[in-house]
Amino acid sequence: MSERLIVIGGCAAGMSAASKSRRVNPDLDIVVYEKTGFVSYGECGLPYYVSGLVADHHKLVARTPEQFARRGIEVHLHHEVIEIVPENHRLRVTNLDNGESWYENYDKLVIATGGRPSLLPGFSLGDLSGVFVMRALEDGIAIREFIQRERPGRAVIIGAGYIGLETAESFHVLGLETTVIGRPPQVLKRFDLDMAKLVQDELEGKGIRLSLGDEVKALEGDAQGRVRRVISSKGTFEAALVFLALGVRPNVALAKKAGVTLGETGAVATDAQMRTNLPDVFAAGDCAEAYHRITGRSAYIPLGTTANKQGRVAGTNAGGGHAEFGGIVGTVITKVFDLYVALTGLSEKEAQALGYAVKSTTIKASSRAHYYPGGGPMHVKLVAEEGSGRLLGGQIVGGEGAGPRIDVLATALHKEMTVEELSELDLAYAPPMSPVWDPLLVAANVALK
Amino acid sequence: MSERLIVIGGCAAGMSAASKSRRVNPDLDIVVYEKTGFVSYGECGLPYYVSGLVADHHKLVARTPEQFARRGIEVHLHHEVIEIVPENHRLRVTNLDNGESWYENYDKLVIATGGRPSLLPGFSLGDLSGVFVMRALEDGIAIREFIQRERPGRAVIIGAGYIGLETAESFHVLGLETTVIGRPPQVLKRFDLDMAKLVQDELEGKGIRLSLGDEVKALEGDAQGRVRRVISSKGTFEAALVFLALGVRPNVALAKKAGVTLGETGAVATDAQMRTNLPDVFAAGDCAEAYHRITGRSAYIPLGTTANKQGRVAGTNAGGGHAEFGGIVGTVITKVFDLYVALTGLSEKEAQALGYAVKSTTIKASSRAHYYPGGGPMHVKLVAEEGSGRLLGGQIVGGEGAGPRIDVLATALHKEMTVEELSELDLAYAPPMSPVWDPLLVAANVALK
């Protein structure tokens, strides 16, 4: 009889694990249980579906259950795994459509239960209509339908992280007067304040209202239970639509109950092969920690890229192959209107909080040769260890070239480069894409002074 | 009395050397002799000046002699150094405006005589009017004036390298019927044929006629000495404008006569401090070799980026500081109509010619998330050493993201990464800038199969 792999969760990590284990082991029985109505969708695309830039939500789906079936991967939607019994290699599933539950056996198990959106303390999502989170594809569909149907004039986004800001742009595109309330005194809290301010200027320049260093006290509704305003420590904001973008926590209740060890971050702890402490049980994606190459510790930075890589590793090992996850350096990027905003490694404040003696350098350069039309400013911040000169992190805010340029710094971090080595890089130059001294080299040269 | 630094050549390398030595040593007397009428201009911008995209040639000039004078750098235009007498730390200068010559002393000397355009064998530039090279700013001005005045309907470009192709685009923009003749059977000869073909398709798709694997036999003119046609091994091409884009050779006659040692490439050999074999004589830029980090040998790949870096190193050392040039990995990029075409390290054929056992991988990926509008194909080729998996080079052909992405590979080459390490990189992801699996990661994963 074939071995049976069960994957809990059809998100990026889960489907990567399923696909990879299929390639590694053609004989494996592979079953995926997914709570929602979709697998393998581009969660990061939801803000662009809400704005209408992506017209059809089917476009966000990379592969349907039918397509997975043709690869010999059995996907069950609206099925929730509610219990794992590791001693017996068993688990219990509920069909959410009809309420039936049953036990079944696994030989290998991949936990890819993902993350769940944080909520306001003391507030449940059903309390008022017009209040949304965005995690499942259904969430995006619900927000878009709500906007089309209710035509809310004013929206408040609570949370000034990536999803909050990307969705602020989407709301703005749809003509909504949009306010973003954030508890930290800046947007994008991992970034240093000097870089975050550039983003804040961009947002306010486009007409987004920001209320930062502000704490939400209550959501108030009308007699019909429709949200109408947000009460914060700084004031009252009228809103017919409230989007909670308070970040994501690892969805680990099931794993924890089964005896899976969690790490300090609260997410599932794994080894480099994505094995949990339980035999034959792997974890991957937004429910799991990731090894951070700079700090040498486990981190919780839930992202699709990491989820996909971890899923492949878990799937390879679950299928009987061998793979190890190389870890992260904490690279993130977001597009905020016309700015790309990217970070890799540690920001200055993150490095300081970890006890590093830090030397930071911030420069503003042009994205193109000075004579070539269409260039714009590019802001680069390098964070290095005082003394050794080892690069600890970088932040870039600028036009389209900012994105792949952060990847140069991410690559440098993977290989523990110093700022001096960075300054020696033989980077490409053509007038339409950079000045003869690439902004990264300018930053490195200034840092060396 | 202050020490006296003389810089021969006001190109990128020469002016970088002068500027850097000024910063290192405020007491130094610094004199630059430049043959042409301009220093510190963006040579790589000339094709865009010819097309009119850069309206005014003054825009190509980063700094004027007056600006250098304010930094305490004395620049003499139309002055040619015609002899170096290293035994006496002397050299002889001619003022090209009045023909006067004189000897003067130097304490330190930087040779930055640059490159000179290759010509057709047996052909002198003065033989026919309407035949141009492009090297000095004056060359660009002459071509643009010629086109405005003579309105040549047809142009032939001889040479299918970067400058040839960039200028083909410029001519096309100006409405000229343009043919590019190249001796190798492909454009951009360092690239592998599969990548070059993508560029050829782009050129032909835009209406540029290509005649490759073709050798020019003669240029023919009319009774007034105006060029009228190009005779090649494959046929006759009508042309009222011929642009010779046959590449650049190191301009080393002066140095050679003075006893400066040349390397195997024919360019000036230097150590990592950019010192030549002669005491107190440095060389930098397109007249000099560069250490190639992949091959471990000296290479001649004349580029503005390398020239600037070498100039800084020469200037630092000439000023009494200490710096070493970190070498190149052979990174180049060009924009050909809507394609960015980039190479770093060794192409497959270059690696094979050097005796490497090579494994190459070519993939086509999307430049953006599949659902995000505006993406296009990105072609990535990785060249790795069989067995060790060490990355030897990469080529990318695609849209705007191709440029900085080649820099990720250049960074990987600096640190001798393997393809497996490449596959582990924590690269940035946002739907507008890449798929969740960046094209580089896709390529690395395919290469690992």
Side-chain angles (χ1 to χ4, degrees):
Chain A
M1 220 180 86
S2 314
E3 285 214 322
R4 181 176 176 83
L5 166 66
I6 294 181
V7 176
I8 310 177
C11 58
M15 298 319 298
S16 288
S19 298
K20 189 67 184 179
S21 60
R22 164 58 62 239
R23 281 198 291 278
V24 169
N25 187 342
D27 298 326
L28 208 58
D29 278 343
I30 306 175
V31 179
V32 179
Y33 289 116
E34 165 59 35
K35 246 177 3 182
T36 76
F38 298 92
V39 293
S40 187
Y41 61 91
E43 194 183 311
C44 304
L46 288 176
Y48 309 106
Y49 172 70
V50 167
S51 72
L53 190 64
V54 177
D56 181 347
H57 69 257
H58 293 101
K59 276 199 171 177
L60 291 178
V61 175
R63 279 189 203 92
T64 61
E66 293 69 34
Q67 288 171 309
F68 282 108
R70 285 200 285 279
R71 296 174 172 209
I73 296 169
E74 194 182 312
V75 175
H76 297 277
L77 302 177
H78 300 133
H79 280 62
E80 183 173 9
V81 174
I82 53 170
E83 185 190 358
I84 304 170
V85 193
E87 308 83 75
N88 306 347
H89 278 56
R90 284 212 306 175
L91 50 72
R92 193 168 170 215
V93 197
T94 295
N95 178 335
L96 299 174
D97 289 331
N98 61 19
E100 282 176 26
S101 291
W102 62 91
Y103 282 95
E104 57 180 66
N105 293 323
Y106 62 82
D107 295 295
K108 309 282 180 191
L109 183 66
V110 174
I111 300 176
T113 43
R116 62 194 162 81
S118 300
L119 297 178
L120 291 169
F123 178 84
S124 296
L125 264 184
D127 290 355
L128 287 171
S129 71
V131 182
F132 296 90
V133 294
M134 196 151 60
R135 183 75 195 167
L137 186 44
E138 284 91 339
D139 296 328
I141 295 171
I143 296 178
R144 184 156 136 177
E145 280 181 358
F146 179 85
I147 294 173
Q148 285 170 351
R149 194 179 62 238
E150 305 289 333
R151 306 209 168 275
R154 287 180 179 160
V156 167
I157 295 172
I158 305 176
Y162 317 107
I163 307 294
L165 301 189
E166 286 164 8
T167 306
E169 181 178 344
S170 296
F171 286 176
H172 181 81
V173 165
L174 294 171
L176 278 68
E177 265 185 52
T178 304
T179 301
V180 177
I181 301 177
R183 199 158 59 171
Q186 64 170 70
V187 301
L188 301 172
K189 64 182 178 190
R190 281 190 59 205
F191 285 71
D192 290 319
L193 183 59
D194 51 350
M195 304 306 272
K197 275 196 167 146
L198 300 167
V199 182
Q200 291 166 201
D201 289 347
E202 174 78 3
L203 285 159
E204 293 183 324
K206 299 290 183 184
I208 304 292
R209 184 172 167 194
L210 297 178
S211 185
L212 301 172
D214 191 7
E215 191 154 6
V216 171
K217 300 293 184 191
L219 306 188
E220 290 185 354
D222 62 14
Q224 287 75 44
R226 298 176 300 193
V227 73
R228 279 298 168 257
R229 67 198 66 83
V230 177
I231 316 294
S232 79
S233 57
K234 291 201 170 174
T236 297
F237 301 89
E238 302 295 320
L241 167 60
V242 171
F243 170 47
L244 303 179
L246 294 157
V248 162
R249 292 182 190 188
N251 205 1
V252 292
L254 174 73
K256 193 178 169 186
K257 210 175 116 198
V260 171
T261 301
L262 307 184
E264 274 180 33
T265 67
V268 174
T270 71
D271 64 12
Q273 294 177 43
M274 304 313 297
R275 292 181 195 275
T276 69
N277 61 307
L278 298 180
D280 300 316
V281 179
F282 301 79
D286 292 1
C287 65
E289 295 185 329
Y291 174 73
H292 195 301
R293 295 172 68 103
I294 312 295
T295 65
R297 304 182 193 177
S298 291
Y300 184 64
I301 304 177
L303 288 172
T305 45
T306 303
N308 271 285
K309 288 197 193 89
Q310 289 184 334
R312 277 172 72 103
V313 169
T316 301
N317 294 316
H322 179 85
E324 298 201 346
F325 177 56
I328 62 170
V329 295
T331 312
V332 292
I333 190 165
T334 182
K335 178 175 170 288
V336 178
F337 290 98
D338 297 332
L339 285 185
Y340 286 78
V341 186
L343 181 156
T344 189
L346 306 174
S347 61
E348 184 177 5
K349 63 186 176 186
E350 285 177 333
Q352 284 167 341
L354 287 163
Y356 286 100
V358 166
K359 190 184 169 194
S360 287
T361 307
T362 305
I363 63 109
K364 179 180 173 183
S366 172
S367 66
R368 293 182 166 177
H370 66 276
Y371 51 78
Y372 196 95
M378 186 166 293
H379 302 262
V380 178
K381 180 167 188 171
L382 297 181
V383 177
E385 189 180 34
E386 186 83 56
S388 74
R390 181 188 160 192
L391 187 70
L392 296 174
Q395 291 159 73
I396 307 182
V397 177
E400 191 157 0
R405 268 191 187 84
I406 203 73
D407 291 339
V408 172
L409 298 181
T411 307
L413 288 171
H414 265 256
K415 297 300 277 186
E416 303 191 5
M417 283 179 81
T418 63
V419 171
E420 184 163 8
E421 288 178 300
L422 190 66
S423 79
E424 291 176 348
L425 287 178
D426 185 12
L427 302 182
Y429 162 58
M433 67 155 275
S434 73
V436 66
W437 288 102
D438 189 276
L440 295 179
L441 298 179
V442 173
N445 283 331
V446 171
L448 286 175
K449 270 182 193 162
Chain B
M1 216 181 86
S2 314
E3 284 215 321
R4 182 175 177 81
L5 165 66
I6 294 180
V7 176
I8 310 178
C11 57
M15 298 320 296
S16 288
S19 299
K20 189 68 183 176
S21 60
R22 165 56 65 238
R23 282 197 293 276
V24 169
N25 187 342
D27 298 326
L28 208 58
D29 279 342
I30 305 176
V31 179
V32 179
Y33 289 117
E34 165 59 36
K35 248 179 359 183
T36 76
F38 299 92
V39 293
S40 187
Y41 60 92
E43 195 183 311
C44 304
L46 289 176
Y48 310 107
Y49 172 71
V50 168
S51 72
L53 190 65
V54 177
D56 181 349
H57 71 256
H58 293 101
K59 277 200 170 177
L60 292 178
V61 176
R63 279 188 202 92
T64 62
E66 293 67 33
Q67 289 171 308
F68 282 107
R70 284 199 287 278
R71 298 176 170 208
I73 296 169
E74 194 181 314
V75 175
H76 297 276
L77 301 177
H78 299 136
H79 279 63
E80 183 172 9
V81 174
I82 53 172
E83 185 190 356
I84 304 169
V85 193
E87 310 83 73
N88 307 348
H89 277 56
R90 284 213 307 174
L91 51 72
R92 193 166 171 215
V93 196
T94 296
N95 177 335
L96 298 175
D97 288 332
N98 61 20
E100 281 177 26
S101 290
W102 63 92
Y103 282 94
E104 56 181 66
N105 294 323
Y106 62 83
D107 294 296
K108 308 283 179 191
L109 184 66
V110 174
I111 300 175
T113 44
R116 62 193 163 79
S118 300
L119 297 178
L120 290 168
F123 178 84
S124 295
L125 263 183
D127 290 354
L128 288 171
S129 71
V131 182
F132 296 91
V133 294
M134 194 149 64
R135 183 77 195 164
L137 186 45
E138 285 91 339
D139 296 327
I141 295 171
I143 295 178
R144 184 155 135 176
E145 282 180 359
F146 179 85
I147 294 173
Q148 285 170 350
R149 193 177 64 238
E150 304 288 334
R151 307 209 168 273
R154 286 180 179 161
V156 167
I157 295 172
I158 305 176
Y162 317 108
I163 307 294
L165 300 190
E166 285 164 9
T167 307
E169 181 177 345
S170 295
F171 286 176
H172 180 82
V173 165
L174 295 170
L176 279 67
E177 264 184 53
T178 304
T179 300
V180 177
I181 300 177
R183 199 158 59 172
Q186 65 170 70
V187 301
L188 301 172
K189 65 183 176 190
R190 280 190 59 207
F191 285 72
D192 291 318
L193 183 59
D194 51 349
M195 303 306 272
K197 275 197 167 146
L198 300 167
V199 181
Q200 290 165 200
D201 289 346
E202 175 78 2
L203 285 160
E204 294 182 324
K206 299 290 184 185
I208 304 293
R209 184 172 169 193
L210 297 178
S211 185
L212 302 172
D214 191 8
E215 193 155 4
V216 170
K217 300 293 185 191
L219 307 188
E220 290 186 354
D222 63 13
Q224 285 76 42
R226 299 177 299 194
V227 74
R228 280 298 169 256
R229 67 198 66 82
V230 178
I231 316 294
S232 79
S233 57
K234 290 201 171 175
T236 296
F237 301 88
E238 301 296 321
L241 167 59
V242 171
F243 170 46
L244 303 179
L246 293 157
V248 163
R249 293 180 190 191
N251 204 2
V252 292
L254 174 72
K256 191 177 172 186
K257 211 175 115 198
V260 171
T261 301
L262 306 184
E264 273 181 32
T265 68
V268 174
T270 71
D271 64 12
Q273 295 177 43
M274 305 313 298
R275 292 179 196 275
T276 70
N277 60 308
L278 298 180
D280 300 316
V281 179
F282 300 79
D286 291 1
C287 66
E289 294 185 331
Y291 173 72
H292 195 300
R293 294 172 69 102
I294 312 293
T295 65
R297 305 183 193 176
S298 290
Y300 184 63
I301 304 177
L303 288 172
T305 45
T306 304
N308 272 284
K309 289 198 194 88
Q310 289 184 335
R312 275 172 73 101
V313 170
T316 302
N317 294 317
H322 179 84
E324 297 201 346
F325 177 57
I328 62 170
V329 295
T331 311
V332 293
I333 191 166
T334 182
K335 178 176 170 288
V336 178
F337 289 97
D338 298 331
L339 285 186
Y340 287 78
V341 185
L343 181 155
T344 189
L346 306 174
S347 61
E348 183 177 5
K349 63 187 177 187
E350 285 177 333
Q352 284 168 341
L354 287 163
Y356 287 99
V358 167
K359 189 185 170 195
S360 288
T361 307
T362 306
I363 63 108
K364 179 180 173 183
S366 173
S367 66
R368 295 181 165 178
H370 66 276
Y371 50 79
Y372 197 95
M378 184 165 295
H379 301 262
V380 178
K381 180 169 187 170
L382 296 181
V383 178
E385 190 180 33
E386 186 82 56
S388 74
R390 181 187 161 192
L391 187 70
L392 296 173
Q395 293 160 72
I396 307 183
V397 177
E400 192 158 358
R405 269 194 187 82
I406 203 74
D407 292 339
V408 172
L409 298 180
T411 307
L413 288 172
H414 266 255
K415 296 300 278 187
E416 304 191 3
M417 282 177 82
T418 63
V419 171
E420 185 164 6
E421 288 178 298
L422 189 66
S423 78
E424 291 176 349
L425 287 177
D426 185 11
L427 302 182
Y429 161 59
M433 65 155 277
S434 72
V436 66
W437 288 101
D438 190 276
L440 295 178
L441 298 180
V442 173
N445 283 332
V446 171
L448 286 175
K449 272 180 191 164

